[in-house]
Amino acid sequence: MGWLVRLLAPDAQPGAYNDWKLVAGTDLASSWLILIALGLVVAVVLGASGLRRLAPSRRRSLLVLRMLAAALVFALVLMPEIELRAVSKVRSRVVIMLDASRSMGLATPGGSTRAEMVSDHTSRNAEELSRLGRDALLEISLFGDRVRNVDGVPDPIPSEDGKTDLAAALSELAVQSSGRDLGAVILYSDGTDTEGLSLDAAQRLGANLGAPVYAVGFPSDSSAADLAIRRIIADEFAFVHNSVAVDVEIEERGLSMSSVMATLKRDGQVVASKEVRLGPDGRGRVTFEFKPSEIGKLAYEISVPVQQGEAVVSNNSRSLVMKVIRDRLRVLQVVGRPSWDERFLRELLKRNPNVDLISFFILRSTTDLQKAPQEELALIPFPVAELFTTELDTFDVVIFQNFTYRPYNMARFLPRIRDYVEQGGSFMMIGGTDAYEDGWYAGTPIATILPVRLGGAPAWDGAEFRPRLTPEGRRHPVTRIGEVGEPPDLVFQRLPPLEGVNPTLGLAEGARSLLVHPSLPGNPPVIAIREVGRGRTMAITTDSIWYWRFLALAEEGAGREFDRLYNNALRWLIRDPELARVRLRSDRAVYGPHDPVSAEVRVLGPDYDGLGGAEVEADLIPIGPNGAQGRATTTITAEDGSALLDFGELAPGMYLLRATAHSGGEAVGAAEEPVVVEAADRELQNPFPRPEILEAVARASGGRYLEIDEGLPEIRLKDSRRVEIDRTRRVPIWDRWPFFVALLGLVSLEWWFRRRGGLL
Amino acid sequence: MRRLLWELMQRTSIEASLDLTAVRAADPKLFRHPFLYWAGSGAVPDFSEEEARRLRRYLTFGGTILIDSADGEPGGAFDVSVRRNLARVLPREELVRIDNEHVLYKSFYLVDHQGGRVLRVPDLEGIFLEKRIAVIYTQNDLGGAWARDSFGRWEYSIDGGERQREMAFRLGINVLMYALCLDYKEDLVHTPFILKRRR
């Protein structure tokens, strides 16, 4: 380098420049340069075209000379210069990252908080940090919810952030380069990452950082005594009536426990309790297996008892919300005797791929003659006990079709069917000469759940009639069985009349009638529905609905009304969310203790388009003994039928969010959704230090992990690749005599070759 | 047929009307009766276009026909007429043998023999629409085996004796039960019982 400076800038002081660069000094625009380059190319090509009759070796020599001359001319046009530079390396930066999350405020066995111990560590190592400050630019950042730079180590170090996101904090270092390379990171943290950072991910994080990390953490046994539900592992979705597993990880420190009872609850009711064995490391795992009995979003709470002297009690329980869906609709069809009504319903249900149909038909009664030995009959016993005890809860819908319980010693099982409905099951009774009053149901538990009243009603009336829609039936999804846009009343006028009805004493309390008999006294219901507890029931008081499937074909109909009626009925009975006109969606299922709770409600019109201007009343109702006070709000839906429900911050607990919508003074519907507000924020749910995470990051980065009571080692900085230019000096090289001599020499040599070749 | 219905009510839980109704194929009342019994002997006239269309619709959407030849003569005039007419009603389908393992043979009785006034064909034939048998055809004169006169005596003697007559009733009851319950006896819950009894 010295000889170059002496050659080009003899007046410069020795050592004034330590770097150089070749640059172009021309001011010509690039378009001009392109034109000149093209002209030179043309000159070379023209020169080559006159060389055909020469020997190949001579032709090549002339061509090379012409090309070299052209290149030299182009170099002269560029006016090359040497830029002499005086450069120096940029100091890299060292970032001291201080964990400002809430877990750093927890006490250590010595009494000081983790944040105080960090503060003490930085004081004790002030000399090493000061030395670092001379070699590198020191930056100090707090991280937790977000990363923010501070001028010095705060006193005290805050511990207020609600989460610890190590990956985000370290990734942000690469972005905030401030024009300097990252030389090293000194990371103070307890490693309680709340974003699920795994050991593998921690290693990748360290390896990709590009600078050594010196992580200062806390030993795993440095936590105050605590018992916590560390983690819940469960699928977001489950199938109703199918076994689902929820894995729970429990951890204790400082309590010397060998086992603990874990309890799974729903709506304050215990679903299961299990003893969890805790290993020498204080950790244990338990799996709860259970079968959800209803669909929808279900909130569960898992808890362990609070122990004396625990540092954090709010992490002894955690919640999860599971969306329970059905795989196939399980329908039990019990038929008193084969009939056309039964046959067409069975055919419909069997055809539906979403229905798992279990049928039981009474093919022979006790009074029928048996003209063949039992082994020549294909009959099986009616498994009453099995169906209505162990299996009952596995069905979504139970249908009694023209069926009387009396001959089958079934009276003892009727209360179970009532309970099944009250707990969320669905029940439909279809008429006939063995149903309702004629089936001896008056005064039984079944009568208490039916939508119609029994007890002295007239017997089966076999006359033909054309049923009439009620105002409720005109709007209800069950009886919307016509073609698109067809007025509901017209549908029932064009369908074949029905034949035979079970007269009843009218509607039961809370029931609604959709279709009625037009002429019998009191217009008894033909189709009626009712909500019973958490379940639903439906009454169809005729056995001739099949006319709408088959007799309708005589008038060139397609029989679709029969299919639609029963499909709608099943969907209504199982509370198919697609049939609901009020739909709720909270922005998340489980909230932290300070998160504002909000949800979106959508109200749909009878045509299932958004219904604007609907009044929505929303209630948050506490569930179970730990529930706090409820809240209520009202709102009006926008043009698209949606509205936002905002409840702000809520006290920890489980809530049922219920929205009820009205439009034009009439009820549209209601929807419910569980909302859980956890007592412990994520920082305190699992407050135990995780040195292994910090160690993984440090090792993979080429740095080191040390515990809080160790002194800082010598921090090895990564070499900085960045330089800064202090001064420059440009020296032209194109206007010197060697350039022109070379050009002249090349032209002369070409002339000489051409002359010898007889070209001149 | 009336005698079969009487036996049906005696032996099973099914309720039936003993008032038989005769309907023409083009009559809209056809669709009040999802089960038809068509018995005869000798040649029968061809269905009109409208009758064939109506019957096609009837069978396609769930109706069932039991056809019973009293000729006792496979390939006889009635047999020829029936096959020609069925080809017009369901031109894309054909009569096939109904397998002995079909649910029709276990819809109420476990039937492993044919019944009828005569035993001219060893199996029932049928036309399947999707998986359902819409047309069931016998040439063993089931109706002849069922028939009693007004004094309650059997109208026809049976070549194979009273067991064959009983099998005719059982087959008739199974056909009616099949029309009403379809493949109910193929539901999984029945399988172990039926297998045990068939051993």
Side-chain angles (χ1 to χ4, degrees):
Chain A
M1 183 67 208
W3 66 269
L4 186 66
V5 176
R6 280 195 298 279
L7 178 69
L8 298 176
D11 56 327
Q13 289 200 347
Y17 300 100
N18 56 3
D19 197 12
W20 65 276
K21 190 179 179 185
L22 183 65
V23 295
T26 183
D27 293 330
L28 286 174
S30 52
S31 53
W32 277 109
L33 291 174
I34 290 168
L35 273 176
I36 292 168
L38 285 173
L40 290 169
V41 169
V42 169
V44 171
V45 171
L46 287 176
S49 64
L51 306 175
R52 284 194 195 98
R53 60 193 177 87
L54 293 181
S57 59
R58 184 156 295 184
R59 197 165 63 219
R60 270 197 301 274
S61 302
L62 279 170
L63 193 59
V64 168
L65 286 170
R66 175 66 62 95
M67 286 169 69
L68 284 172
L72 208 53
V73 169
F74 192 68
L76 282 170
V77 170
L78 288 175
M79 300 166 72
E81 295 176 344
I82 296 285
E83 187 179 86
L84 296 170
R85 297 171 162 193
V87 299
S88 59
K89 278 201 170 184
V90 177
R91 283 193 307 163
S92 56
R93 64 197 180 108
V94 171
V95 183
I96 300 173
M97 300 189 69
L98 302 169
D99 187 342
S101 67
R102 214 165 287 164
S103 63
M104 294 296 286
L106 290 171
T108 59
S112 308
T113 66
R114 295 172 190 172
E116 286 166 353
M117 290 191 74
V118 168
S119 188
D120 182 51
H121 190 271
T122 55
S123 303
R124 279 191 283 118
N125 293 276
E127 198 176 318
E128 174 62 19
L129 294 173
S130 165
R131 188 191 67 73
L132 263 181
R134 287 194 293 276
D135 298 342
L137 181 72
L138 272 187
E139 291 176 4
I140 300 171
S141 298
L142 299 177
F143 73 96
D145 290 336
R146 61 194 170 84
V147 178
R148 63 269 193 198
N149 293 334
V150 289
D151 291 336
V153 176
D155 185 22
I157 298 172
S159 50
E160 295 161 350
D161 287 5
K163 71 174 185 182
T164 305
D165 191 348
L166 274 172
L170 289 173
S171 303
E172 203 161 312
L173 289 179
V175 181
Q176 289 182 347
S177 67
S178 63
R180 292 170 190 271
D181 281 349
L182 187 62
V185 177
I186 301 173
L187 173 63
Y188 286 96
S189 174
D190 54 12
T192 57
D193 186 274
T194 55
E195 307 306 301
L197 184 66
S198 65
L199 276 180
D200 286 346
Q203 276 174 351
R204 282 197 299 276
L205 196 60
N208 295 334
L209 193 61
V213 176
Y214 292 84
V216 186
F218 298 82
S220 53
D221 59 358
S222 65
S223 169
D226 197 34
L227 173 66
I229 292 179
R230 201 166 167 263
R231 195 152 68 119
I232 297 176
I233 306 158
D235 288 335
E236 227 172 289
F237 291 89
F239 291 109
V240 69
H241 303 313
N242 283 273
S243 191
V244 59
V246 175
D247 288 329
V248 182
E249 290 179 3
I250 293 166
E251 188 169 354
E252 71 86 19
R253 297 282 166 86
L255 293 169
S256 305
M257 299 173 73
S258 59
S259 68
V260 66
M261 283 300 287
T263 306
L264 173 75
K265 290 181 188 169
R266 190 182 155 226
D267 294 352
Q269 304 292 315
V270 175
V271 176
S273 282
K274 277 193 172 181
E275 186 178 18
V276 191
R277 311 288 304 173
L278 301 173
D281 59 354
R283 292 183 181 178
R285 186 175 176 135
V286 65
T287 301
F288 287 105
E289 278 193 31
F290 57 97
K291 293 180 179 176
S293 58
E294 57 188 277
I295 59 163
K297 285 186 178 172
L298 309 184
Y300 293 91
E301 183 193 51
I302 294 153
S303 61
V304 287
V306 174
Q307 308 295 314
Q308 198 166 16
E310 274 198 68
V312 182
V313 295
S314 56
N315 59 16
N316 288 46
S317 70
R318 286 189 66 175
S319 302
L320 79 149
V321 173
M322 193 177 275
K323 187 167 185 184
V324 181
I325 54 177
R326 68 182 83 251
D327 50 352
R328 293 175 78 194
L329 184 64
R330 274 177 61 86
V331 177
L332 172 65
Q333 183 192 18
V334 182
V335 178
R337 59 167 52 105
S339 68
W340 297 118
D341 208 34
E342 155 272 306
R343 179 248 204 248
F344 285 103
L345 179 56
R346 175 179 165 87
E347 191 175 44
L348 173 73
L349 297 177
K350 286 293 271 188
R351 210 169 51 220
N352 189 336
N354 298 318
V355 170
D356 184 9
L357 178 67
I358 310 295
S359 296
F360 280 96
F361 300 168
I362 306 299
L363 302 186
R364 189 168 67 89
S365 69
T366 48
T367 56
D368 292 325
L369 298 176
Q370 183 173 335
K371 292 194 173 180
Q374 193 68 26
E375 60 269 20
E376 292 180 16
L377 291 165
L379 306 181
I380 65 168
F382 182 29
V384 179
E386 189 185 352
L387 275 181
F388 297 107
T389 53
T390 54
E391 293 296 314
L392 184 59
D393 290 337
T394 70
F395 296 110
D396 297 294
V397 180
V398 174
I399 301 173
F400 276 11
Q401 185 163 17
N402 192 21
F403 173 77
T404 177
Y405 68 97
R406 285 188 81 172
Y408 313 106
N409 196 20
M410 257 189 72
R412 62 203 164 111
F413 299 115
L414 299 186
R416 279 198 54 83
I417 298 171
R418 176 199 59 205
D419 296 346
Y420 154 80
V421 170
E422 286 176 347
Q423 287 159 21
S426 305
F427 179 80
M428 179 195 284
M429 185 176 280
I430 301 175
T433 52
D434 282 339
Y436 298 101
E437 197 81 45
D438 298 317
W440 303 93
Y441 286 103
T444 68
I446 294 292
T448 64
I449 58 170
L450 283 175
V452 290
R453 282 186 297 118
L454 306 178
W460 174 254
D461 184 311
E464 188 176 280
F465 67 98
R466 191 178 287 280
R468 199 178 67 210
L469 264 181
T470 64
E472 174 91 26
R474 283 188 196 101
R475 291 188 306 269
H476 203 276
V478 168
T479 33
R480 293 179 74 84
I481 60 173
E483 303 298 332
V484 175
E486 186 178 14
D489 287 299
L490 284 184
V491 179
F492 292 90
Q493 283 170 28
R494 70 170 164 78
L495 284 171
L498 300 177
E499 203 172 304
V501 71
N502 294 99
T504 58
L505 299 180
L507 287 175
E509 192 181 336
R512 290 168 288 163
S513 188
L514 307 181
L515 209 58
V516 293
H517 195 288
S519 53
L520 284 180
N523 303 113
V526 176
I527 297 179
I529 54 173
R530 185 180 172 193
E531 309 259 353
V532 182
R534 284 155 60 186
R536 287 180 164 179
T537 61
M538 180 176 291
I540 296 179
T541 59
T542 177
D543 65 354
S544 55
I545 298 287
W546 70 272
Y547 283 7
W548 295 348
R549 169 70 179 77
F550 198 66
L551 190 51
L553 300 171
E555 303 303 324
E556 303 302 322
R560 293 194 195 99
E561 292 80 3
F562 174 89
D563 296 7
R564 288 191 197 117
L565 177 74
Y566 277 112
N567 285 333
N568 291 349
L570 289 182
R571 292 174 71 186
W572 181 82
L573 281 168
I574 62 165
R575 297 175 191 270
D576 186 339
E578 290 300 307
L579 222 55
R581 287 175 53 197
V582 180
R583 297 174 188 182
L584 256 180
R585 195 179 60 191
S586 57
D587 59 342
R588 74 180 95 145
V590 180
Y591 293 85
H594 305 291
D595 299 333
V597 174
S598 64
E600 188 192 52
V601 63
R602 186 129 202 272
V603 181
L604 305 175
D607 51 3
Y608 286 85
D609 276 342
L611 183 65
E615 301 153 23
V616 178
E617 292 172 17
D619 292 303
L620 262 173
I621 305 150
I623 306 171
N626 296 325
Q629 277 208 318
R631 297 249 176 107
T633 185
T634 57
T635 187
I636 304 286
T637 58
E639 202 172 326
D640 66 349
S642 66
L644 194 68
L645 304 170
D646 206 344
F647 295 95
E649 284 185 27
L650 294 172
M654 281 193 184
Y655 299 84
L656 183 68
L657 172 55
R658 179 178 294 154
T660 310
H662 288 80
S663 178
E666 289 189 4
V668 178
E672 294 178 347
E673 175 139 324
V675 170
V676 175
V677 181
E678 292 210 304
D681 63 23
R682 287 182 291 171
E683 275 294 313
L684 300 183
Q685 279 169 358
N686 185 15
F688 307 114
R690 291 189 69 196
E692 67 277 14
I693 288 282
L694 302 175
E695 199 168 349
V697 174
R699 270 207 188 149
S701 70
R704 213 188 117 186
Y705 169 75
L706 54 148
E707 293 187 344
I708 193 76
D709 52 359
E710 291 180 63
L712 273 181
E714 187 181 342
I715 304 295
R716 187 179 53 78
L717 297 180
K718 188 191 166 198
D719 269 349
S720 174
R721 289 165 303 175
R722 290 179 192 254
V723 293
E724 56 191 6
I725 301 167
D726 298 329
R727 60 183 177 277
T728 61
R729 176 173 171 181
R730 283 189 167 196
V731 182
I733 55 172
W734 63 273
D735 58 353
R736 294 174 185 245
W737 61 265
F739 252 95
F740 294 98
V741 168
L743 184 59
L744 190 62
L746 287 170
V747 173
S748 302
L749 207 54
E750 185 183 347
W751 177 83
W752 182 75
F753 268 111
R754 282 181 177 263
R755 188 178 173 83
R756 271 194 71 186
L759 295 173
L760 291 175
Chain B
M1 187 66 187
R2 185 174 289 109
R3 183 67 205 179
L4 175 68
L5 293 176
W6 189 84
E7 288 288 339
L8 180 78
M9 288 196 289
Q10 291 293 308
R11 301 184 189 199
T12 76
S13 60
I14 297 173
E15 282 187 342
S17 167
L18 294 178
D19 297 329
L20 297 183
T21 308
V23 287
R24 301 195 66 83
D27 189 339
K29 284 183 187 157
L30 181 72
F31 289 90
R32 271 191 182 272
H33 310 283
F35 184 87
L36 296 180
Y37 176 59
W38 174 17
S41 60
V44 292
D46 288 350
F47 295 131
S48 68
E49 276 301 315
E50 177 58 15
E51 286 170 332
R53 189 188 71 81
R54 282 259 174 186
L55 274 174
R56 187 178 311 123
R57 191 171 164 77
Y58 174 89
L59 294 169
T60 305
F61 285 93
T64 306
I65 300 181
L66 170 63
I67 305 174
D68 188 8
S69 169
D71 275 353
E73 184 188 355
F78 184 78
D79 185 29
V80 170
S81 304
V82 163
R83 290 178 193 279
R84 191 176 60 242
N85 272 301
L86 287 177
R88 294 190 63 209
V89 173
L90 298 168
R92 289 182 192 167
E93 314 296 337
E94 58 184 63
L95 279 166
V96 295
R97 173 182 165 270
I98 298 174
D99 189 86
N100 290 341
E101 293 301 313
H102 193 272
V103 70
L104 177 69
Y105 291 111
K106 54 190 175 191
S107 59
F108 188 81
Y109 288 107
L110 297 171
V111 174
D112 50 10
H113 292 92
Q114 293 295 319
R117 182 179 58 79
V118 292
L119 278 184
R120 294 288 182 268
V121 288
D123 299 301
L124 294 175
E125 290 177 276
I127 292 179
F128 288 74
L129 296 179
E130 295 181 351
K131 288 182 180 174
R132 181 179 64 86
I133 313 179
V135 178
I136 302 163
Y137 181 34
T138 176
Q139 298 189 61
N140 292 333
D141 190 14
L142 287 173
W146 301 333
R148 281 184 192 265
D149 62 19
S150 47
F151 298 104
R153 291 174 303 206
W154 299 116
E155 281 192 39
Y156 304 101
S157 60
I158 304 290
D159 295 347
E162 288 310 302
R163 177 71 179 167
Q164 188 174 314
R165 193 190 300 280
E166 170 62 16
M167 295 315 289
F169 276 108
R170 291 186 186 181
L171 197 57
I173 287 171
N174 270 23
V175 166
L176 288 166
M177 198 62 88
Y178 173 74
L180 283 164
C181 302
L182 301 174
D183 57 353
Y184 166 59
K185 281 291 169 187
E186 280 194 330
D187 286 1
L188 277 180
V189 68
H190 302 280
T191 309
F193 291 90
I194 291 171
L195 283 177
K196 191 175 166 189
R197 286 172 197 170
R198 281 214 153 149
R199 249 178 232 145

